[in-house]
């Protein structure tokens, strides 16, 4: 986890808007998952999406007792991502859609039916005291900038904004704590004919102050707006998007390890997703309970096995208990079986489309049950004093 043992250093994280090609792909995959879960909470879905030019290709596996109008779901997701104008070169009404999928493999399905994990894998969760959300500061600020761009486009506040965009924030740390914003990079797709100077001025005066709040950029900070120049060609018309290609944006901005598995398009029997949510829940509860200023939790599973093959907690030696004792406390407090996680976090329902942009963590919004740690923190604290 990010604590580099240096008195001063810079750390950078990035985010993207919902109109970024990879996020369009994530949104389609999660929208399809939600469409199945809405009518069949036991549906098994592993959905991968590619978007490019005027085409959407959906592939993967589905096992469900219901049918879904997948093409209608895809078009709605594309429209909600901001692509509702044929002039963008990729839009909900004219995009060609190809559905290439099959049923869940019988052997994998049988393993999951026995409440086992559907695959092997390792998952991480992280929390720290840098922000009220108990998230690393660079990724939270990057998300706020990207979301502010999206809000300004959707509301019509900035009529020249287009759906694609990216943000990047570099934070200077001193003695392991964030001290100032050192650099900000913003790239936003825009309508033809808008001057670069107008775009930069608007981003500096309208987007950044609202997004950065108390971390408003200092006079010594480097600010780069559309550093490549004009950005009129964007989205899937200009670049290919794939499900799961923004996993660091989805998690902790590089401040903590990632097990490798993507989240979007996967139903909660897939521990890539559900166990990552649970690991974040545990790490956040550890920090919220005052047991450590930062915590990294790793869970690992084997295909077909019910219990995790390993549970680890790391606190940089700053925990109120040794890490080994925290691990035993965690194992004794939480049901870490796939079924136990699904039931505890109430994951077998259509809550996933909102997660497809602006990160899966650090959001106190409906459906983000893994972020609600009041009860869990109390249970951990009680376990320490027991």
């Amino acid at each position: 986890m990010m604590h580099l043992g240096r008195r001063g250093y810079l750390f950078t994280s990035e985010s993207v808007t919902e109109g970024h090609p990879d996020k369009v792909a994530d949104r389609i995959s999660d929208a399809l998952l939600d469409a199945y879960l809405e009518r069949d909470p036991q549906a098994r879905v592993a959905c991968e999406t590619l978007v490019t030019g005027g085409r959407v290709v959906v592939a993967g596996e589905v096992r469900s007792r219901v049918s879904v109008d997948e093409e209608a779901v895809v078009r709605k997701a594309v429209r909600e991502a901001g692509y509702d104008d044929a002039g963008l070169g990729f839009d909900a009404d004219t995009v060609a859609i190809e559905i290439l999928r099959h049923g869940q493999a019988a052997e994998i399905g049988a393993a999951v039916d026995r409440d086992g994990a559907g695959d092997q894998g390792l998952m991480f969760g992280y929390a720290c005291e840098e922000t009220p959300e108990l998230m690393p500061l660079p990724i939270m600020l990057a998300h706020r900038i990207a979301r502010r761009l999206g809000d300004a486009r959707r509301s019509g506040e900035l009529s020249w904004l287009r759906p694609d965009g990216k943000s990047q924030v570099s934070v200077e740390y001193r003695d392991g704590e964030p001290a100032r914003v050192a650099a900000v990079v913003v790239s936003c797709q825009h309508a033809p004919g808008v001057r670069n100077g107008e775009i930069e001025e608007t981003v500096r005066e309208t987007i950044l102050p609202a997004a950065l709040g108390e971390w408003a950029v200092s006079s010594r900070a480097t600010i780069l707006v559309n550093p490549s120049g004009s950005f009129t060609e964007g989205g899937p018309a200009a670049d290919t998007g794939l499900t799961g290609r923004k996993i660091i944006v989805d998690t902790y901005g590089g401040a903590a390890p990632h097990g490798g598995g993507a989240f979007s398009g996967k139903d909660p029997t897939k521990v890539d997703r559900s166990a990552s949510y649970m690991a974040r829940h545990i790490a956040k509860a550890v920090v919220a309970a005052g047991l450590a200023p930062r915590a990294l939790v790793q869970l690992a599973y084997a295909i077909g096995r019910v219990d995790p093959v390993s549970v680890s907690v790391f606190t940089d030696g700053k925990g109120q208990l040794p890490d080994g004792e925290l691990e035993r406390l965690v194992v004794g407090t939480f049901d870490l079986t796939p079924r136990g996680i699904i039931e505890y976090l109430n994951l077998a329902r259509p809550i996933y489309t909102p997660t497809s942009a602006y990160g899966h963590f650090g959001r106190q919004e409906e459906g983000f049950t893994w972020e609600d740690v009041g009860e869990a923190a109390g249970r951990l604290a009680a376990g320490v004093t027991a």
Side-chain angles (χ1 to χ4, degrees), residues 1-14 124-131 134-141 169-180 215 248 251-258 283 287 293-297 314-318:
M1 57 183 153
M2 188 188 71
H3 188 232
L4 305 182
R6 293 166 52 190
R7 293 185 62 84
Y9 56 88
L10 296 177
F11 196 87
T12 302
S13 297
E14 71 162 347
F124 289 97
Y126 180 64
C128 62
E129 294 179 333
E130 292 180 16
T131 64
L134 302 185
M135 286 284 288
L137 180 63
I139 186 64
M140 291 306 296
L141 294 181
V169 176
S170 301
V171 172
E172 180 183 344
Y173 284 76
R174 298 172 189 160
D175 296 322
E177 300 297 328
R180 71 180 183 97
W215 293 98
I248 301 304
T251 53
Y252 308 102
H258 193 293
V287 176
R294 56 171 55 86
L296 178 71
V297 174
F314 306 93
T315 64
D316 272 349
K318 296 183 179 180

Side-chain angles (χ1 to χ4, degrees), residues 42 44 63 104-118 269 304 306 339:
Q42 304 305 313
R44 308 272 176 77
R63 192 184 91 177
Q104 185 178 48
E107 293 168 326
I108 295 176
V112 178
D113 289 341
R114 296 191 297 269
D115 295 334
T269 68
V306 174
R339 176 181 289 275

Side-chain angles (χ1 to χ4, degrees), residues 17-18 145-155 161 358:
T17 64
E18 69 264 37
I145 294 170
R147 187 186 282 269
R148 179 74 180 93
L149 287 172
D151 290 345
R153 176 187 60 81
R154 286 189 301 273
S155 69
L161 272 177
Y358 309 118

